[in-house]
Every structure is written in structure tokens, then in C-alpha cells.
Amino acid sequence: MEKTAELEENAIAGSKQTGAIITIVVKFGGRSISVSISPDSTGSDLKSHLQRLTNVLPRGQKLIYKGKVLTDNMSLKALQMTDGSKVMLVASQGLHQGDGPSTKKATLVMDNLRTIPHVHQNQINHETLTIEKARRERWKLIGVAALSECHLKAVPDDVWDCGLSIRVLEMSTNLIQELPAKVSSLKSLTKLYLNANDLSDKSISWDGLSHLKSLKVLSLNQNNLTTLPPAVGKLISLSQLHIAKNMLTCLPDELGCLNQLQVLKAGNNRISLIPAGIGSCSSLIEIDLSSNLLTELPETLGKLRNLKGLYLSNNGLNSLPSTLFKMCTQLSTLDLHRTEITNDFLRQIEGWENFDERRRLKHQKQLDFHVGSSGAFDEGADDDNWL
């Protein structure tokens, strides 16, 4: 084995001498990154692999060699780069991938070198481990693991290795199909974002989630969920629950156990029934149930004294809970677009006058401070059932 390794190392050295492989030095963020690469590689090749070490997206990278820009289609050979050439990497602000630039030095060996017989596989493995170690240390330091848009099919083992260190886990817009029971090891987790993945009812370990007693934000928008299990009621610290754009048909009565829940967003589902237990969510400030299949709402909604915004557009509703305006004394936004509820009906509900005054004051404040969505008051708000 030692003899084989020695032969491979000699072969690499020989390849460098013949020009098959060169080592260039990329200057970035006050540090130097050594890159072993074929001179026939293009600027695009170099950019895509530098992304691993800098976390800067290729479109945000500009490579400069001796005052000339290395374009995506230009080869290193075209700019007469040789072994030891120095290249400057300039990154555009705001185009960092994930959790920002790496802080550790590492040597990059391009993936396509694996097809070259003389490249030492152990060298590639070493560099991968170096990058992963740097990532773990960074996560542990800042408590945030940002992995959105990384084409992930599973939660990386690095996440579990960080254990108690991670407070925020962002893995939206990936291809993740499972949230395993290991999630229970993230005891310090306060925010979990898994929007736009491929999660289904049985692929989420709700038992594991229920151990996260510090979890305040759970976001599962745009997945393949058809049911929300009773175990959601065990997330006692939850203040925000985002489950929009799934295929949910109802919500569990155990939702009422979430007495710290302030925001519930469940729009764009197939929900036809809201449990009476929702009236026990005494901290609710905003509820979005737009674009569902609702034909009625529970009277217990009137118990939500802190409710300020209720969004019910695009449902089959023709009535509202009789105590909604009387008991929900902070309610100032009510969206009834594309429902069968008329203004004549609303004016007959007890407490209408006080609600109407609150919502007019809110619109006036939006005019005064220019914070309305369109910058102008909607003169047809009454007719459009936007209250």
C-alpha cells in the first residue's frame, strides 16, 4: 500500500511537470486558496468548485489574472496560467450560498480529477473532510445551519453531529424526503424551516419533533402533507406554524394545546373543517386560512381576544361566528374576498360598528405613514369584502 501511494504521488508530481495539472493560488477575503486543476479547465469549472470553499455562488464570482477577467468559457491555458499563478477572486455582495464564506483554509481538487488515474484519492477525501469540519465548526459557533437550495435529498450527518449547538436550521427548497427521529437530538432548536421539499405524512418523525421543547417556529410550507397529527399539540413553545401549500384536509383538535401560538398560516390547502379547539389558542394574533374548502367556522373563534388579522378569502363561507366582532376586540383586518359573505350580513353581526371603526383607523394609519401594500386606500374595499 505504501509503495502504491508513493507511486501515485510521484505520478502527480510528474503530471505537474508535464503540465497535466497545475496549482494556482486564489486570493479571496485576505486569504489564499491553493487549487490543483487542469490548465484545460474553464473559468466556469473553477468557479463552480470554488463555491465549496467560499460559499459564493458562481454568478457572484469574478476571477482576475494579471488585470484580465477569466470568463466562463475561457480556459486557464488561454490566459497562459502556469503552476504558481495567482488569481484574484472578487465576490458580489449578497450572492453567498448558505451560511456565508468559509473561514478555514483548504486545498481544492476538482471532481473531474477523479477520472485521472494519477490523482491520489486520499487527497480528495482529505479535502472533503477539511471542508466538512470547517462547516461544522462554523455552525457550532453561530448556532445557525443554512442549507437552503443545496439539492439535498437527506439531512446531512453534520447537522446531527452539531447536536445542542444549532438553534436555527434552514433547509428549504431541497429534495428532502425524510425528517428522522434524530431531530430530537437538536434540543436547542428554536426555528426549523423545511419549506418546498418532498416531505409526506409518514416521512416526518413527529415523535422526534415533540421532544423539541424550545421550538418556536416550524415551517413546512409546500410539501406533500395531507394530515397534521395530534402530536403537533406537544410543541408547547410553538409561536408560529406555517403549513401552507400542502394537501391538508383538516386540522387536529390538539392544536388547541398550543397556547403560545401567535401565527397560523394554513392557506392553499383542502381544509374543510377547523376544530373547536382552536379557541384555546389564546395567543393567536394572525390566522390565514385562505384558499381552502371551508363552509363554516367554529364559534370558538370568538374566544381569541388577541386576534388582529383573519384571512378567509377564496372559501365557501356564507357566515361568520356570531361573537367574532364582539369578543375579538383587537380584530382590525378581515379578508373575505371570493366568499359568499355580504356586507349586509356583516352589519347585522353584534359588534360590527366597533370592528368597522378599528379597521378604518388602521387604513387611515396606512395612508398617513404610506405603508399600505399599494400606497393608496382601496376605495372599493367594502364592495370587495376586504375589511
Side-chain angles (χ1 to χ4, degrees), residues 29-276:
R31 60 194 178 92
S32 299
I33 304 173
S34 297
V35 181
S36 297
I37 191 171
S38 167
D40 294 320
S41 300
T42 65
S44 179
D45 294 332
L46 180 55
K47 283 182 176 182
S48 64
H49 290 277
L50 278 172
Q51 179 182 352
R52 299 181 192 171
L53 296 175
T54 64
N55 275 341
V56 177
L57 295 173
R59 69 177 184 273
Q61 301 179 33
K62 180 183 289 186
L63 297 167
I64 302 174
Y65 176 63
K66 291 185 176 181
K68 297 180 180 179
V69 176
L70 176 62
T71 62
D72 288 349
N73 296 324
M74 186 183 297
S75 69
L76 278 62
K77 185 186 296 183
L79 282 183
Q80 299 181 337
M81 288 191 195
T82 58
D83 199 51
S85 292
K86 295 181 179 179
V87 181
M88 180 176 291
L89 170 60
V90 180
S92 299
Q93 186 176 8
L95 284 175
H96 287 112
Q97 167 79 26
D99 47 2
S102 299
T103 57
K104 301 288 183 179
K105 294 183 179 180
T107 300
L108 175 66
V109 180
M110 294 178 62
D111 285 344
N112 59 13
L113 294 184
R114 298 181 188 184
T115 61
I116 300 175
H118 302 303
V119 174
H120 202 321
Q121 185 65 42
N122 288 340
Q123 183 180 357
I124 297 174
N125 292 338
H126 173 71
E127 306 311 334
T128 301
L129 290 173
T130 301
I131 296 169
E132 290 177 351
K133 182 179 179 181
R135 182 172 67 174
R136 285 197 301 270
E137 292 303 316
R138 189 164 60 252
W139 289 350
K140 289 179 179 179
L141 180 65
I142 65 176
V144 178
L147 291 166
S148 60
E149 299 184 33
C150 290
H151 306 288
L152 297 174
K153 294 184 178 180
V155 181
D157 288 338
D158 284 359
V159 171
W160 313 129
D161 292 341
C162 289
L164 296 174
S165 300
I166 295 183
R167 293 176 289 100
V168 179
L169 179 55
E170 164 63 279
M171 295 188 294
S172 296
T173 318
N174 281 293
L175 304 169
I176 296 172
Q177 298 181 349
E178 181 186 12
L179 185 64
K182 286 183 179 180
V183 71
S184 63
S185 65
L186 307 180
K187 302 292 186 183
S188 301
L189 200 65
T190 61
K191 298 179 181 180
L192 176 58
Y193 300 93
L194 284 163
N195 302 315
N197 276 285
D198 197 20
L199 295 168
S200 59
D201 298 339
K202 294 182 179 180
S203 68
I204 297 178
S205 174
W206 287 95
D207 182 61
L209 279 174
S210 67
H211 286 80
L212 305 182
K213 302 304 181 184
S214 298
L215 191 64
K216 294 183 178 180
V217 178
L218 177 60
S219 196
L220 296 169
N221 295 328
Q222 201 172 335
N223 278 281
N224 304 314
L225 305 180
T226 62
T227 59
L228 199 62
V232 71
K234 296 180 180 180
L235 300 174
I236 55 175
S237 297
L238 209 61
S239 62
Q240 294 187 35
L241 178 59
H242 302 260
I243 46 176
K245 296 183 180 179
N246 279 282
M247 296 177 285
L248 299 170
T249 57
C250 62
L251 299 176
D253 203 57
E254 287 77 6
L255 200 68
C257 298
L258 306 180
N259 54 25
Q260 295 190 44
L261 189 66
Q262 296 180 15
V263 177
L264 172 62
K265 294 198 173 184
N268 291 93
N269 279 287
R270 302 172 183 175
I271 300 172
S272 59
L273 180 65
I274 302 298

